[in-house]
Amino acid sequence: MRHLIAPLLVALLTLTAAPAFAQSPNYQIWEQVAERAEALTANPQATNEELARTRTRIIDWRDQLQAGQTVNGDRIATLRNQIDALGPAPAEGETEDEELANRRAELNRQLSTAQAPRLAATEATSRANSIISQIDEIARQRQALELSKQTASPLLPQSWGAAAGDGLALAQGIGAEVTGRDATPQAWADLRPRLPQVAAYLIAALVILTWGRAWIVALPSRLSSRATEHSRAVLAFVVSLGQIAIPMAGVYLGISAIQATGLPGPWTTPILNALPVAAVILFGGIWMARALFPRTAIAYTSLQMSEGARVSAGRVVTLLALLMAIHHILSRAVLPLSGLYEQGEAQVGRVPVQFSEAAAGVWHLALIVLAALAMFRLGNILRRLTREAVTQDLSYRHWIVAWAGQLTRILAPIAVVVTAAGYVNMGNLMVWPWLFSLALVGLLILLQDFVADLFNMLQRGAEGAREGLAPLLSGFALVLASVPLFLVIWGATPQELSEYWIRFRQGFSLGGVTLSPGAILTFLIIFAVGYALTRGVQGMLRNSILPKTRLDAGGQNALVAGLGYVGIFLAALMAITSAGIDLSSFAIVAGALSVGIGFGLQNIVSNFVSGIILLIERPVSVGDWVSAGGQQGIVKKISVRSTMVETFDKTEVIVPNSDFISQPVTNWTRHNKIGRIIIPIGVGYRSDTRQVERILREITEDHPLVAIDPAPAILFRGLGADSLNFEIRAILADVGTGLGVTSDLLHSVVARFAEEGIEIPFAQRDIWLRNPEALPGHAPRIEPATPAAAPAPAALNQPDPMLIRDDIADAEGMPDEGGPDGR
């Protein structure tokens, strides 16, 4: 172990000490290199190879220059601190002590000297970036001119003749190598010992491409039938990838068998070199057709389509995959004018026959016509995806695919017309990159479904697992990761991607603040760590420390909440400074924000300040019973903007904090829970008021929750219209039990009054009719012929029966204002 530690320490010290001993760039040599590079970019006769070599050299120099931008970092920081320690420089027209002024001037001179290498490196780096941009622009312009080049129309008879002649020469050359007519006797002699190896390769390739391919195609369905419901989709997707890997193994064995013969020469070797990628395109397209447009879905379908549309789309995609594979072989090994893929000629040698541009245009036109017909068919299927959907709840992918299908229908005929007009490169540009883009979109859809299925499997089929936030963010990350692939499909070179990445890492300026991926990542990490530490300290205080103190629950909550706000503020401040963001750059933004606060954000700021006041003064705490803002309930949470109150109906009401500061607030339980209840009681006019008072006092004092000191009060409050009005006023140790105590006392009052014969009156009304004879159907009253006897004394106080309303049965069904339904 010691033998391993020593070299590691030496390597670590070497790496850490390397910047200190690094030599600054030689700017004289750099000036010469930069001048030659700028002269080359101004020369229209410069070749692409010369420009590429110059670009590589400038990139090497830029790396050295960027390292020079960090020279003297510690020294510059020290000098700036020393200058700041001297205090602010005197304003215009003011003077300072001569010794202090001399010291300030000396420090400024040293700072300028220390910053000089940095400034030189920054200027040189900017010049290097400019040269690289000029070379890239020249390359793009030349590529655009090549793509827009017009050749002889493939429809001309002479073009067909040239295509037939060059095609015949290609067939003869390939046939001669395949049949071995051009092979020497020595080649046949060398082949005989290798025949068993060749036969083994061929047999293995045939077995894999026939039986093995059929077995792997049927394997997902067989395995998924044994898997659980939440793991079936993941298993089927992973196993289905073998539909690409297994056939590719057969292709490699077949190529190995052909190469083992020693017969391939300049005619077949380019084709064999292009065959592996073509096989990936073919088998990948077939796999995507089965996965994206399955005849029988194993778990679900990624796109909502009818069965007939899925079958038709799968066939078209398979045909397009075959055409794309053929085009790849021809463009890499045979044909010029291949659009964006013309640059592959430098990587893969082509066959000896040199196809003319007219002949190449004919062969390209034939492929483009076949591809355009399939594209048009596929576009018709995809564009109807949103129109013929069985449900209106479609995800964004359906609209994207439908839009892509509509654009595919437009590009297909345009590509044929453009190619027929002689713009062969442009026609290839419209077909093959677009098809690869469609394939990448389909792959993203399948990968997003796989990620969602993976989360669903890990959560064992929990509800909403596939539609959660984590699968959504993972799908978004996949889309971002696919951006470089889209750029490569449309012709971006590795050098251009590298340059894009460098510019991306350098970041961009926003209001004087430079934001880069490194700075953003640093900010997120530091803030996340600070936030986690804050929450940890809050939990420790809430659960371990504060319960052992004498602080009440409200004070503990205020302390924990205040600590959380301070911790989050400090975490944000540390994250900003660690990311290298100068807070002084936000001065203008802060000024503009203050104007916005004065106009549109004043309510938010008012609630924020009110929340701080509530946490500091604590007129209201968590657990208090309050009445504020028209709401009454228990305070559950006090945040920086609002307070959550849970009413006695168990509903949560959000009350702005400003209502607790600017409006009257009733806090029933702030300092103690003692409270008073008032219960009005009415008795009949014939009742003995002293007896009623005695009974009510006995009932109240006998209740266990009523305080004895101060004693409850029984008050005779007045002579009402229907009753003698009394009140019970009692002090409770816990006002929260007021409703229960009130209910108990009323039960006891009703029972005791019934025993003592005391009447609890209710509202009564007598109805007198002044002119009953005016009522319809009223019979006139017939006076007796003889004088009536004098009425009995007991009947003098009775109302006339004819004047009393006699339909009392109808009145009994009306709601009683003082009854249970009206309280």
Side-chain angles (χ1 to χ4, degrees):
M1 184 60 119
R2 289 177 297 176
H3 298 290
L4 294 175
I5 295 177
L8 288 176
L9 291 177
V10 173
L12 182 61
L13 291 174
T14 303
L15 290 175
T16 55
F21 296 101
Q23 296 180 355
S24 60
N26 191 327
Y27 290 101
Q28 294 182 352
I29 300 178
W30 158 246
E31 287 291 336
Q32 299 175 2
V33 172
E35 290 177 359
R36 287 197 297 267
E38 290 171 346
L40 184 66
T41 57
N43 183 11
Q45 304 299 325
T47 64
N48 293 333
E49 290 75 12
E50 293 175 340
L51 292 173
R53 287 195 301 268
T54 302
R55 187 182 187 279
T56 302
R57 188 175 184 184
I58 296 298
I59 288 177
D60 294 338
W61 270 98
R62 184 178 62 179
D63 294 339
Q64 300 179 28
L65 296 172
Q66 287 177 342
Q69 294 179 2
T70 60
V71 173
N72 299 332
D74 295 338
R75 178 59 178 165
I76 291 174
T78 302
L79 290 172
R80 285 177 176 174
N81 291 333
Q82 290 177 318
I83 294 174
D84 293 337
L86 298 178
E92 185 178 357
E94 297 180 358
T95 59
E96 62 179 347
D97 184 73
E98 182 179 359
E99 183 178 354
L100 188 62
N102 293 335
R103 180 58 178 167
R104 187 188 303 276
E106 176 62 21
L107 291 176
N108 285 323
R109 185 188 64 77
Q110 295 180 14
L111 179 62
S112 300
T113 303
Q115 288 179 334
R118 280 191 170 192
L119 297 177
T122 301
E123 185 273 334
T125 302
S126 176
R127 187 178 183 183
N129 287 329
S130 177
I131 294 174
I132 294 173
S133 299
Q134 291 177 11
I135 295 176
D136 291 341
E137 182 63 25
I138 293 173
R140 284 191 292 267
Q141 291 178 357
R142 292 184 177 183
Q143 186 181 33
L145 290 175
E146 184 66 23
L147 291 175
S148 61
K149 182 177 66 173
Q150 184 180 18
T151 60
S153 173
L155 301 179
L156 297 176
Q158 55 268 31
S159 298
W160 286 92
D166 292 342
L168 181 60
L170 176 64
Q172 291 175 350
I174 295 176
E177 281 192 358
V178 171
T179 58
R181 287 181 301 178
D182 296 339
T184 62
Q186 183 63 35
W188 289 109
D190 295 337
L191 175 60
R192 291 187 185 93
R194 294 195 295 266
L195 283 178
Q197 180 184 3
V198 173
Y201 280 145
L202 286 177
I203 292 173
L206 291 175
V207 170
I208 291 176
L209 290 175
T210 54
W211 180 83
R213 186 164 173 267
W215 174 79
I216 195 63
V217 168
L219 185 60
S221 299
R222 293 200 303 267
L223 292 180
S224 61
S225 61
R226 304 177 184 177
T228 59
E229 183 178 356
H230 52 268
S231 63
R232 182 177 298 119
V234 174
L235 180 63
F237 181 86
V238 174
V239 174
S240 69
L241 296 177
Q243 299 174 12
I244 303 175
I246 297 298
M248 282 302 302
V251 170
Y252 274 108
L253 288 174
I255 295 175
S256 300
I258 297 173
Q259 291 177 342
T261 62
L263 296 178
W267 292 93
T268 55
T269 298
I271 297 176
L272 292 177
N273 291 335
L275 193 57
V277 177
V280 172
I281 295 173
L282 175 60
F283 296 122
I286 296 174
W287 168 81
M288 184 170 295
R290 289 173 176 162
L292 204 57
F293 308 106
R295 294 176 180 266
T296 302
I298 295 178
Y300 57 87
T301 56
S302 299
L303 298 174
Q304 296 182 13
M305 303 173 64
S306 63
E307 184 178 356
R310 286 203 310 270
V311 172
S312 180
R315 292 174 179 172
V316 174
V317 170
T318 302
L319 175 60
L320 286 173
L322 177 61
L323 294 175
M324 293 167 69
I326 295 174
H327 175 264
H328 176 80
I329 294 174
L330 294 179
S331 63
R332 293 293 184 179
V334 180
L335 299 177
L337 300 179
S338 299
L340 293 175
Y341 304 103
E342 182 68 21
Q343 58 192 1
E345 183 181 1
Q347 302 172 2
V348 180
R350 286 179 172 167
V351 295
V353 63
Q354 183 67 33
F355 273 67
S356 64
E357 291 183 347
V362 173
W363 290 103
H364 281 301
L365 178 62
L367 281 176
I368 289 175
V369 168
L370 293 176
L373 292 175
M375 287 172 60
F376 195 84
R377 174 60 179 163
L378 181 62
N380 278 332
I381 297 173
L382 297 181
R383 74 184 182 92
R384 293 195 297 264
L385 198 61
T386 55
R387 302 178 186 177
E388 300 178 358
V390 295
T391 176
Q392 296 298 324
D393 187 17
L394 297 176
S395 59
Y396 70 94
R397 65 175 59 174
H398 292 83
W399 299 101
I400 293 176
V401 172
W403 172 82
Q406 185 69 32
L407 191 56
T408 302
R409 292 179 71 250
I410 297 174
L411 287 177
I414 295 178
V416 174
V417 173
V418 168
T419 306
Y423 296 95
V424 181
N425 279 325
M426 186 64 66
N428 282 311
L429 176 66
M430 292 182 177
V431 173
W432 312 112
W434 177 249
L435 290 177
F436 277 111
S437 299
L438 290 179
L440 185 54
V441 171
L443 180 61
L444 288 175
I445 293 174
L446 294 176
L447 289 178
Q448 287 179 346
D449 285 340
F450 172 72
V451 171
D453 294 333
L454 191 61
F455 278 97
N456 185 57
M457 183 186 69
L458 294 177
Q459 300 182 22
R460 297 192 174 276
E463 184 178 358
R466 295 190 80 258
E467 293 78 17
L469 180 61
L472 179 64
L473 294 178
S474 300
F476 182 70
L478 287 174
V479 174
L480 292 180
S482 67
V483 172
L485 296 179
F486 279 107
L487 294 177
V488 170
I489 288 173
W490 290 96
T493 62
Q495 294 79 11
E496 290 176 336
L497 292 179
S498 176
E499 189 66 23
Y500 293 153
W501 175 246
I502 291 174
R503 299 292 176 86
F504 179 71
R505 284 194 309 168
Q506 291 176 351
F508 59 94
S509 296
L510 180 64
V513 178
T514 301
L515 298 178
S516 63
I520 295 175
L521 184 61
T522 302
F523 173 85
L524 293 177
I525 293 176
I526 298 298
F527 182 78
V529 172
Y531 183 83
L533 290 176
T534 300
R535 293 307 185 197
V537 173
Q538 282 183 295
M540 181 179 62
L541 286 176
R542 182 185 294 109
N543 301 323
S544 302
I545 298 177
L546 292 179
K548 300 178 181 179
T549 63
R550 297 181 179 180
L551 283 176
D552 57 358
Q556 295 179 14
N557 177 76
L559 182 60
V560 171
L563 180 64
Y565 296 137
V566 172
I568 292 175
F569 174 77
L570 293 178
L573 187 63
M574 293 177 61
I576 292 174
T577 54
S578 299
I581 301 175
D582 188 5
L583 293 178
S584 62
S585 302
F586 291 99
I588 299 177
V589 178
L593 185 61
S594 63
V595 177
I597 292 174
F599 288 96
L601 303 180
Q602 52 184 347
N603 291 333
I604 297 177
V605 174
S606 175
N607 290 325
F608 179 81
V609 175
S610 300
I612 295 177
I613 295 174
L614 289 178
L615 292 175
I616 295 176
E617 295 185 355
R618 294 193 296 122
V620 175
S621 301
V622 174
D624 289 352
W625 174 11
V626 298
S627 296
Q631 303 294 333
Q632 185 174 169
I634 305 299
V635 177
K636 291 297 182 181
K637 181 181 179 182
I638 300 176
S639 64
V640 74
R641 189 196 67 84
S642 60
T643 298
M644 186 177 71
V645 177
E646 183 181 74
T647 66
F648 298 111
D649 296 331
K650 296 302 179 181
T651 57
E652 295 180 352
V653 180
I654 306 300
V655 181
N657 287 333
S658 58
D659 290 351
F660 288 92
I661 301 299
S662 61
Q663 298 181 9
V665 178
T666 302
N667 194 330
W668 302 93
T669 58
R670 177 67 189 101
H671 297 289
N672 56 66
K673 295 184 177 181
I674 298 176
R676 186 179 68 173
I677 59 173
I678 300 177
I679 306 175
I681 295 177
V683 298
Y685 266 91
R686 297 179 181 179
S687 304
D688 185 351
T689 57
R690 294 298 179 182
Q691 181 186 11
V692 171
E693 180 181 1
R694 178 179 55 80
I695 293 173
L696 294 178
R697 188 179 304 279
E698 293 176 357
I699 292 174
T700 306
E701 291 178 349
D702 287 344
H703 198 283
L705 297 181
V706 175
I708 299 177
D709 186 17
I714 309 299
L715 304 177
F716 186 7
R717 294 288 292 167
L719 305 175
D722 302 307
S723 63
L724 302 175
N725 297 330
F726 286 80
E727 279 186 358
I728 298 176
R729 297 190 176 188
I731 303 298
L732 305 180
D734 186 357
V735 73
T737 62
L739 291 178
V741 173
T742 300
S743 178
D744 293 341
L745 292 179
L746 289 177
H747 280 296
S748 300
V749 168
V750 172
R752 185 70 179 275
F753 280 3
E755 294 176 0
E756 300 290 341
I758 298 176
E759 177 188 4
I760 300 178
F762 55 88
Q764 302 181 40
R765 297 292 182 268
D766 295 334
I767 301 176
W768 295 80
L769 300 179
R770 290 183 177 273
N771 300 311
E773 65 277 1
L775 296 176
H778 185 271
R781 184 175 181 181
I782 301 175
E783 297 292 339
T786 58
L796 290 176
N797 295 330
Q798 299 296 327
D800 191 340
M802 298 300 296
L803 300 179
I804 299 177
R805 183 178 178 183
D806 56 356
D807 56 345
I808 298 182
D810 295 338
E812 290 178 354
M814 300 176 63
D816 188 358
E817 185 179 357
D821 297 333
R823 63 185 176 191

